[in-house]
Amino acid sequence: GVFDRSISALLMLNEAGYGGADGEYGLDLVYNPLGAFLPPEQKKLEAKYKEVLMAEFGIVFNNLFTITNMPVKRFADFLYRRGELKEYMDLLVRNFNEDTVESLMCLETVSVGWDGKVYDCDFNQQLGYGIGSKEAFDEHGKTVFDIASLDDLAKDRIYFDNHCFGCTAGMGSS
């Protein structure tokens, strides 16, 4: 199944020089929980993954990143249908971690859509909140054709909404 193919792919990447301290190229893994809960502490989980993947499969990698399930699109719809959206949002809010704010991706990353529209994070892109837009899927948002450099975006406000708690809950998700 999927697990066996993933292990096979990681082994092929290791053989090609990816992963490990002496690897020619870095190999990073991502852990995303399978439900409405926060991921475990990243460093501890990374250590456990390194231990188990090496012992059982001979796999090496450089970093493991944990991400929180964001309450947007399909996941939000899934939670809503199960009557769990409010509970999940409460979990995110209760676990707000001020220490995560300095490293939020929206502070240093720009996402670009197929049509050239620019967004301050990929979650806002999914929701249609472009930089310079007043509302979702606003046709007046900025595009790469409207700016000469990223400095042109410095005065634009970052769009924040409830889903942003996903990046600030627990250990963060950026």
Side-chain angles (χ1 to χ4, degrees), residues 68-81:
T68 301
N69 285 319
M70 300 302 288
V72 298
K73 297 290 188 169
R74 284 186 303 175
F75 188 60
D77 292 340
F78 168 77
L79 293 173
Y80 179 79
R81 285 191 310 274

Side-chain angles (χ1 to χ4, degrees), residues 1-165:
V2 173
F3 179 79
D4 291 333
R5 290 193 310 268
S6 296
I7 294 298
S8 178
L10 290 170
L11 288 168
M12 287 190 288
L13 287 167
N14 279 174
E15 289 173 19
Y18 290 85
D22 58 346
E24 186 176 343
Y25 307 106
L27 177 60
D28 298 332
L29 305 182
V30 175
Y31 172 87
N32 185 218
L34 294 174
F37 54 90
L38 297 177
E41 197 273 314
Q42 184 169 293
K43 286 295 174 195
K44 289 180 183 175
L45 191 63
E46 178 181 290
K48 187 66 173 176
Y49 265 60
K50 284 185 174 186
E51 174 190 330
V52 171
L53 288 175
M54 173 51 81
E56 297 197 15
F57 304 101
I59 293 173
V60 295
F61 65 93
N62 300 92
N63 303 292
L64 178 110
F65 298 104
T66 60
I67 59 174
T68 301
N69 285 319
M70 300 302 288
V72 298
K73 297 290 188 169
R74 284 186 303 175
F75 188 60
D77 292 340
F78 168 77
L79 293 173
Y80 179 79
R81 285 191 310 274
R82 293 177 55 130
E84 298 174 359
L85 182 58
K86 181 185 180 325
E87 183 179 331
Y88 187 65
M89 287 304 304
D90 289 346
L91 173 73
L92 297 179
V93 172
R94 277 193 320 271
N95 285 278
F96 173 78
N97 180 353
E98 187 175 339
D99 294 338
T100 64
V101 174
E102 291 179 9
S103 62
L104 291 173
M105 72 175 148
C106 59
L107 299 176
E108 299 200 19
T109 302
V110 174
S111 296
V112 180
W114 65 270
D115 56 358
K117 283 196 175 183
V118 289
Y119 303 84
D120 44 39
C121 86
D122 53 351
F123 303 110
N124 283 343
Q125 181 176 358
Q126 291 175 35
L127 295 170
Y129 293 111
I131 294 176
S133 297
K134 301 266 190 250
E135 56 189 55
F137 301 103
D138 182 350
E139 62 187 53
H140 303 293
K142 292 186 178 180
T143 71
V144 294
F145 310 108
D146 300 321
I147 60 174
S149 77
L150 292 177
D151 293 334
D152 293 348
L153 303 175
K155 292 183 180 172
D156 287 293
R157 293 180 56 97
I158 295 171
Y159 179 82
F160 292 105
D161 206 342
N162 290 336
H163 65 279
C164 299
F165 281 104

